Amino acid sequence: GAVVSQHPSWVICKSGTSVKIECRSLDFQATTMFWYRQFPKQSLMLMATSNEGSKATYEQGVEKDKFLINHASLTLSTLTVTSAHPEDSSFYICSARQQATNYGYTFGSGTRLTVV
Amino acid sequence: GDSVTQMEGPVTLSEEAFLTINCTYTATGYPSLFWYVQYPGEGLQLLLKATKADDKGSNKGFEATYRKETTSFHLEKGSVQVSDSAVYFCALTDRAGGTSYGKLTFGQGTILTVHP
């Protein structure tokens, strides 16, 4: 079946540093990837949608310069949290949509980011 | 815009009890409907889906029927197990030109705890 690998699964960083999270589709091509943020005991909030080879589409209220998304290939998208602050601490989840398959969303296992 | 409303949790049941988690939606057009499950510290896994009215999605003893007249997609299971303890999310995606490239809209999630 479709597998999405998200790395790292957890990361602790200091305030002011940048953190990169990778999302890879291992056995399929993902033309579209989605990045979500999840606060404790809350639902997933879509941050942005990325299409391979083009700029990401950010949801309203999400800072483009802070959350840099790159989708350079059909199997890899990255989210970089720049100049991280404690309020950026959260659970980040990516999702990849299988090319030519309707409704085939596969989720990564998530990344727990803690900024100290 | 599209929205999904789930019954508030948490839901606590004894093993072998009957489970219902209500989900209603608001959407333009003809959305596809999903239930996802999230175990602690993990990403989301697709539990079941339905793509048109009166479709019934089923998996692992769970089932849900797409009810267009009541705009609902309630999740049910006849006999829950301790291993079903997780967070359950109802979600929808819109359709675009016969294929779905739309984003998923999630409900707020319902925490289910099953005791032995």
Side-chain angles (χ1 to χ4, degrees):
Chain A
V3 179
V4 170
S5 173
Q6 188 172 340
H7 179 80
S9 56
W10 61 271
V11 57
I12 301 173
C13 70
K14 293 184 177 181
S15 289
T17 62
S18 294
V19 173
K20 179 184 285 187
I21 302 170
E22 292 188 348
C23 181
R24 293 181 184 272
S25 55
L26 298 186
D27 50 2
F28 66 97
Q29 293 185 326
T31 50
T32 305
M33 289 188 174
F34 304 88
W35 286 96
Y36 296 87
R37 182 173 181 176
Q38 186 180 31
F39 292 99
K41 298 185 179 181
Q42 293 189 27
S43 188
L44 283 73
M45 180 192 77
L46 180 65
M47 299 174 67
T49 302
S50 71
N51 293 294
E52 184 264 337
S54 60
K55 290 184 178 180
T57 301
Y58 289 81
E59 295 297 301
Q60 191 172 8
V62 178
E63 298 177 61
K64 302 178 183 181
D65 295 333
K66 181 164 191 62
F67 298 100
L68 301 179
I69 292 172
N70 182 280
H71 191 165
S73 76
L74 284 171
T75 60
L76 174 64
S77 177
T78 60
L79 167 66
T80 301
V81 182
T82 62
S83 186
H85 291 283
E87 57 264 31
D88 298 326
S89 298
S90 191
F91 194 56
Y92 293 88
I93 305 175
C94 71
S95 172
R97 193 176 180 288
Q98 299 178 58
Q99 187 178 25
T101 300
N102 289 341
Y103 322 116
Y105 301 90
T106 303
F107 286 80
S109 55
T111 297
R112 171 73 59 193
L113 170 64
T114 302
V115 184
V116 297
Chain B
D2 297 345
S3 67
V4 177
T5 302
Q6 289 180 235
M7 65 182 286
E8 291 190 18
V11 174
T12 303
L13 296 172
S14 298
E15 209 165 24
E16 299 184 2
F18 184 86
L19 168 71
T20 299
I21 301 179
N22 290 339
C23 171
T24 57
Y25 67 90
T26 302
T28 55
Y30 303 94
S32 291
L33 304 175
F34 307 82
W35 277 100
Y36 284 88
V37 58
Q38 183 181 32
Y39 298 100
E42 298 184 12
L44 273 66
Q45 300 175 26
L46 177 65
L47 182 59
L48 53 85
K49 68 180 181 185
T51 58
K52 63 182 186 297
D54 299 326
D55 268 2
K56 177 184 285 188
S58 61
N59 184 27
K60 300 180 181 179
F62 291 90
E63 58 182 33
T65 302
Y66 189 142
R67 301 289 188 196
K68 190 171 185 295
E69 63 276 13
T70 55
T71 61
S72 65
F73 193 54
H74 304 322
L75 181 68
E76 296 182 338
K77 187 174 185 181
S79 176
V80 293
Q81 304 300 313
V82 173
S83 57
D84 294 327
S85 298
V87 183
Y88 291 81
F89 292 94
C90 185
L92 67 80
T93 188
D94 59 1
R95 296 189 180 190
T99 60
S100 177
Y101 296 102
K103 58 188 180 184
L104 283 168
T105 299
F106 287 92
Q108 65 268 42
T110 301
I111 299 172
L112 171 65
T113 303
V114 181
H115 293 296

